[in-house]
Amino acid sequence: MRKHVIHAALAIGFGLAVIPQMASACSIVAPDDWGPADSRRAARVAVGTATAIIDGEVIRPFIHGKQNAIVRAARVLKGPRKVEFEVGERSSCDRALDRVGERFRMILTGGPAVYYLPDGGSEAVYEDELLGSYREVVWPYTRGTEP
């Protein structure tokens, strides 16, 4: 009996230590019943809560612990009309822009000094529809150079 109590206590302790870390993971998994209405809603939230939305190109890479990325905006769809945006990384939930020449539409948060690019799923078609600007036409993705 005592052995079972010890095993149960260890299992509970392990669960309390591991579950909060698992809950804070950044990966987003859509439920099986995720449909177009959910995707449209997610796009509205992303566009609505963004501080800036730009078609940008990385001109200075992010280097962990040393420097934030600098992105040149070819087009500003929302936010301050700036030519360059400094983009950092707060945690593993943000995307580090470490490829010079990488070009794509960026939905940024934070600012005004340092912006962040949340690393999550994108509802690109619906975001573009809301913005009235289609990234595949006006600013197709370019990979950039490896760090």
Side-chain angles (χ1 to χ4, degrees), residues 77-91:
L77 296 125
K78 179 181 178 180
R81 303 288 177 210
K82 297 168 46 168
V83 174
E84 293 182 351
F85 289 77
E86 184 174 350
V87 182
E89 181 189 51
R90 295 169 291 202
S91 70

Side-chain angles (χ1 to χ4, degrees), residues 69-80:
I70 299 294
V71 175
R72 181 183 316 120
R75 185 177 300 101
V76 177
L77 296 125
K78 179 181 178 180

Side-chain angles (χ1 to χ4, degrees), residues 53-135:
I53 301 174
I54 64 172
D55 288 342
E57 178 178 0
V58 178
I59 58 173
R60 182 180 84 185
F62 174 84
I63 300 173
H64 187 71
K66 293 188 179 186
Q67 69 184 22
N68 289 326
I70 299 294
V71 175
R72 181 183 316 120
R75 185 177 300 101
V76 177
L77 296 125
K78 179 181 178 180
R81 303 288 177 210
K82 297 168 46 168
V83 174
E84 293 182 351
F85 289 77
E86 184 174 350
V87 182
E89 181 189 51
R90 295 169 291 202
S91 70
S92 62
C93 293
D94 293 320
R95 181 170 172 189
L97 298 174
D98 58 0
R99 294 173 185 242
V100 172
E102 186 173 29
R103 298 169 33 152
F104 63 101
R105 180 156 296 163
M106 301 176 194
I107 297 183
L108 304 171
T109 61
V114 179
Y115 293 83
Y116 303 97
L117 181 61
D119 190 17
S122 175
E123 302 295 341
V125 171
Y126 299 110
E127 293 162 358
D128 290 357
E129 185 179 282
L130 288 167
L131 296 166
S133 174
Y134 299 90
R135 64 189 82 187

